[in-house]
Amino acid sequence: MTDTIPPTERLAARLRELYQRYGFKQYRVSKFEEYDLYARNKRFLASPHILTFSDTNGRLMALKPDITLSIINNTRDDDRTRKVWYTENVYRVPRGGGGFQEIMQAGLEMLGTVDLYAMGEVLMLAARSLEAVSPRYVLELSHMGVLTGVLDCLAAPAGAAEAILAAFEAKNAHDLASVCAGAGVDGADAALLERLCRLSGPARPAVEELLSLPLPPAARQAAAELDQLTGLLELFGPCNASVDLSLINDTDYYNGLLFRGYVDGVAAPVLTGGRYDSLIHRMGKRGGAIGFAVYLNELERFLTQPADRDVDTLLVYEPGDDPAAVIAAVQAEVAQGRTVRTQLAGRTAVTYGRCIRPDGREAT
Amino acid sequence: MEMLNIALPKGRLGEKVYDLFRAAGYDCPALLEPNRKLIFENEAAGVRYFWAKPSDVAIYVERGSADIGVAGKDILMEYTPDVYELLDLGLGKCRMCVAGFAGFRDDGARTLRVATKFPNITRDYYAAQSRPIDIIRLNGSIELAPIVGLSDVIVDIVETGKTLLENGLAPLAEVAPISARLIANKARFKFVGGRIDTLCRRVAAIREQEHGK
């Protein structure tokens, strides 16, 4: 039977059902937002390009390049904790350029009081979201607090921090060592940074290795949180979780837990998320926040098999054929779960599985 | 066993890299046969090699068509692909330099005209010095630009400095040391990271042996 629902839409429906089952409410946003919101937080966006237009009242508006900023902006700053999910289109220039694209994104956000259990639940939902795509997935965890805890204790000049972060993120141990040496970083601290940037693998052993390292107190506290979260995830059930501390992000927006999801067969992350308390504080709101987005556009190719035909059956009739016979033949095909296209005899613009006449005989 | 896809840069550097990989146990004899094939496999060793234009290797790796590859640091600095940079192979060593007439003095009074194949590296280098520049993007024969007055200086790769010398030019400042780097696709690393780690360890061990000779 031919399935007419695009796979990404079917996946979006599964994710919606999953998020609702855990009490997250749908959040609907308009396609537009004032440009100023994005101009103030450009570095938070995946791409700096924003599609703008002037509204009828002269205000500069933007087609949404991001949903998280809108949700924070439109959420009242009170003591209530909100759990929301969304499936929306965003407008941005993908990495590699090529102009603006409409990108379908699903995700969830939790704003308010974010405790350990809440973080574990969001991680579990991220893992289940990936599982809905493929059993061959990896949910990669990291914690900004580990690296910032180590960097805060280094006697490195401010200018060196950027080069250290760039080398760390690329697991580039050789350049990391030379940047550290050039910046006068102590040999033991440089060796610790190198081990941290290489540290990756299944969550439990990786966390144990992390805890065995000589971490400064702030970094140790972050490592302990990662340990607790790994334990919580295990309680939720089997999960392909791994730890990779080279996963870092902008500290002006993100703090604490960070995570990314990968599916075997897709060459880019299909899910990204983390704690972004720093962002909501920058936007003048209180409390904590955690969330993630699933990039349905990255999954389109993976989920969609190229169709070998437009229709299952092409039903060809002649001008003199009895309409009742044509209708009966069409209904018989539809009842069998097949797609059918009818047309008068002649050349066709579609590809088809088989071609029949109203009496059921194969036509040529 | 799933094959490990490796993109090698076409040319002398690629052949040296292959020698290193072969010594590390990732042999693929068909690779050196004189023919026009682009892809070569050794199922027993679990590797599939392919030759790519050196500047394209990072694209194949970033997009996941290759699990790993070898690219020059110049390409990685210029295009900043989102990949892991796991090993400095120490091959193809050279320098990214500012070069110009030997006695050239930049007094900062005028916008500096810089000819280069590497506009992003050039922009970052001069931005860090708050020096206004006019970038002239060229595709080859960069040394010609200052000679015919197209630019004041160039930013380019200097290996021996012979071409510069023969044209009355000289390196004026080093932008960065360059060498070949082993890079890996981040997503593929999550699924075949163990095998990539093993390959890196073996290749690094061979490099150390060669260094020790």
Side-chain angles (χ1 to χ4, degrees):
Chain A
M1 181 173 161
T2 306
D3 197 343
T4 52
I5 302 170
T8 46
E9 279 180 28
R10 199 175 319 121
L11 174 63
R14 284 182 73 181
L15 296 180
R16 184 166 57 227
E17 195 194 323
L18 172 69
Y19 305 153
Q20 281 178 342
R21 208 181 302 148
Y22 285 86
F24 282 74
K25 267 175 70 176
Q26 184 171 15
Y27 195 94
R28 286 180 193 280
V29 287
S30 101
K31 279 190 165 28
F32 319 129
E33 187 81 61
E34 281 201 52
Y35 170 75
D36 187 49
L37 172 65
Y38 307 112
R40 277 185 278 123
N41 296 288
K42 259 197 172 170
R43 281 191 299 125
F44 180 74
L45 303 175
S47 118
H49 305 285
I50 299 167
L51 208 51
T52 57
F53 64 96
S54 292
D55 208 348
T56 48
N57 56 9
R59 280 187 311 174
L60 188 60
M61 304 294 286
L63 262 78
K64 283 195 166 67
D66 173 86
I67 303 296
T68 305
L69 285 173
S70 289
I71 292 179
I72 300 171
N73 197 39
N74 299 317
T75 300
R76 210 176 302 159
D77 189 20
D78 53 26
D79 292 333
R80 293 182 192 176
T81 295
R82 277 143 176 120
K83 290 183 171 188
V84 297
W85 65 267
Y86 61 83
T87 311
E88 299 284 345
N89 286 326
V90 293
Y91 303 85
R92 59 169 75 139
V93 178
R95 197 180 154 81
F100 281 97
Q101 282 186 12
E102 186 179 56
I103 291 167
M104 195 182 180
Q105 193 173 297
L108 62 79
E109 314 283 354
M110 180 177 173
L111 295 110
T113 307
V114 181
D115 64 347
L116 194 73
Y117 173 81
M119 285 196 279
E121 188 180 79
V122 168
L123 278 182
M124 175 275 293
L125 288 170
R128 298 289 169 270
S129 302
L130 293 166
E131 226 168 47
V133 179
S134 163
R136 286 183 56 79
Y137 74 91
V138 168
L139 178 66
E140 180 182 84
L141 315 181
S142 182
H143 198 299
M144 292 289 286
V146 177
L147 181 59
T148 54
V150 173
L151 287 180
D152 287 347
C153 295
L154 296 184
E162 201 180 325
I164 290 176
L165 289 175
F168 193 91
E169 192 174 14
K171 290 189 181 291
N172 183 345
H174 40 277
D175 283 356
L176 183 62
S178 61
V179 173
C180 284
V185 173
D186 175 77
D189 288 335
L192 175 61
L193 279 173
E194 188 191 327
R195 279 204 66 183
L196 290 175
C197 94
R198 287 183 194 273
L199 203 155
S200 69
R204 178 51 57 199
V207 166
E208 276 161 19
E209 187 185 339
L210 175 63
L211 289 169
S212 74
L213 298 175
L215 300 171
R220 180 156 298 282
Q221 203 179 336
E225 189 173 278
L226 213 45
D227 181 33
Q228 288 171 306
L229 285 167
T230 304
L232 266 181
L233 259 182
E234 285 163 354
L235 289 175
F236 272 115
C239 171
N240 302 338
S242 73
V243 165
D244 192 321
L245 293 170
S246 72
L247 168 58
I248 54 176
N249 213 324
D250 196 326
T251 47
D252 285 346
Y253 302 103
Y254 293 94
N255 58 297
L257 176 71
L258 278 181
F259 50 98
R260 261 186 194 168
Y262 296 90
V263 168
D264 198 7
V266 183
V270 298
L271 179 152
T272 65
R275 280 295 291 261
Y276 53 90
D277 301 11
S278 306
L279 172 63
I280 62 166
H281 298 158
R282 271 174 72 98
M283 292 175 70
K285 312 229 166 162
R286 294 166 297 170
I290 185 170
F292 64 80
V294 181
Y295 302 117
L296 297 171
N297 61 312
E298 294 286 358
L299 290 165
E300 190 181 33
R301 246 190 119 68
F302 177 76
L303 295 171
T304 312
Q305 295 303 317
D308 60 349
R309 63 179 73 152
D310 297 316
V311 289
D312 296 324
T313 306
L314 179 68
L315 196 151
V316 181
Y317 59 91
E318 301 288 341
D321 282 344
D322 179 6
V326 176
I327 291 169
V330 168
Q331 285 176 337
E333 289 298 309
V334 172
Q336 293 292 316
R338 290 193 281 266
T339 53
V340 56
R341 172 184 164 117
T342 54
Q343 71 165 63
L344 270 167
R347 292 175 65 189
T348 182
V350 295
T351 53
Y352 50 86
R354 64 184 195 132
C355 181
I356 59 168
R357 298 205 19 87
D359 59 11
R361 281 184 299 127
E362 295 280 335
T364 51
Chain B
M1 180 171 53
E2 200 183 349
M3 303 292 260
L4 202 59
N5 292 302
I6 306 172
L8 292 180
K10 252 190 267 183
R12 222 155 41 99
L13 174 64
E15 284 163 20
K16 278 190 193 168
V17 172
Y18 171 66
D19 284 344
L20 193 58
F21 282 26
R22 186 182 56 188
Y26 300 91
D27 196 12
C28 186
L31 195 81
L32 297 177
E33 285 170 9
N35 57 40
R36 286 170 177 255
K37 275 175 73 174
L38 295 170
I39 297 185
F40 307 88
E41 271 185 27
N42 180 351
E43 260 193 80
V47 285
R48 180 185 294 125
Y49 288 99
F50 55 89
W51 295 115
K53 190 174 168 161
S55 53
D56 289 344
V57 167
I59 298 171
Y60 284 100
V61 174
E62 185 180 29
R63 294 279 185 148
S65 297
D67 301 317
I68 60 171
V70 172
K73 183 67 181 175
D74 52 327
I75 300 297
L76 301 177
M77 286 170 70
E78 179 63 24
Y79 298 106
T80 59
D82 189 18
V83 294
Y84 290 136
E85 190 182 321
L86 299 175
L87 205 56
D88 181 353
L89 296 175
L91 297 170
K93 277 190 174 176
C94 52
R95 297 180 299 153
M96 180 71 67
C97 285
V98 178
F101 287 111
F104 178 78
R105 184 176 161 271
D106 177 17
D107 63 2
R110 298 189 297 179
T111 300
L112 189 70
R113 296 172 308 155
V114 190
T116 186
K117 266 194 285 190
F118 304 96
N120 294 327
I121 294 174
T122 303
R123 192 175 303 117
D124 291 349
Y125 176 73
Y126 283 104
Q129 302 172 23
S130 304
R131 178 72 175 99
I133 56 164
D134 175 14
I135 294 179
I136 302 158
R137 170 93 167 79
L138 294 178
N139 296 301
S141 301
I142 314 294
E143 296 85 356
L144 185 62
I147 298 169
V148 297
L150 179 63
S151 73
D152 300 314
V153 292
I154 61 171
V155 168
D156 204 13
I157 287 171
V158 178
E159 286 184 59
T160 60
K162 218 173 142 199
T163 315
L164 291 177
L165 195 68
E166 283 179 6
N167 290 288
L169 305 173
L172 302 173
E174 181 177 303
V175 177
I178 304 293
S179 56
R181 309 293 169 100
L182 193 153
I183 57 174
N185 176 273
K186 288 188 171 180
R188 291 296 295 152
F189 191 83
K190 312 303 160 197
F191 299 95
V192 289
R195 290 180 62 200
I196 294 174
D197 268 340
T198 306
L199 182 144
C200 285
R201 268 200 308 276
R202 287 190 191 169
V203 169
I206 298 289
R207 281 295 298 162
E208 271 170 36
Q209 273 175 28
E210 287 177 352
H211 246 60
K213 273 180 192 169

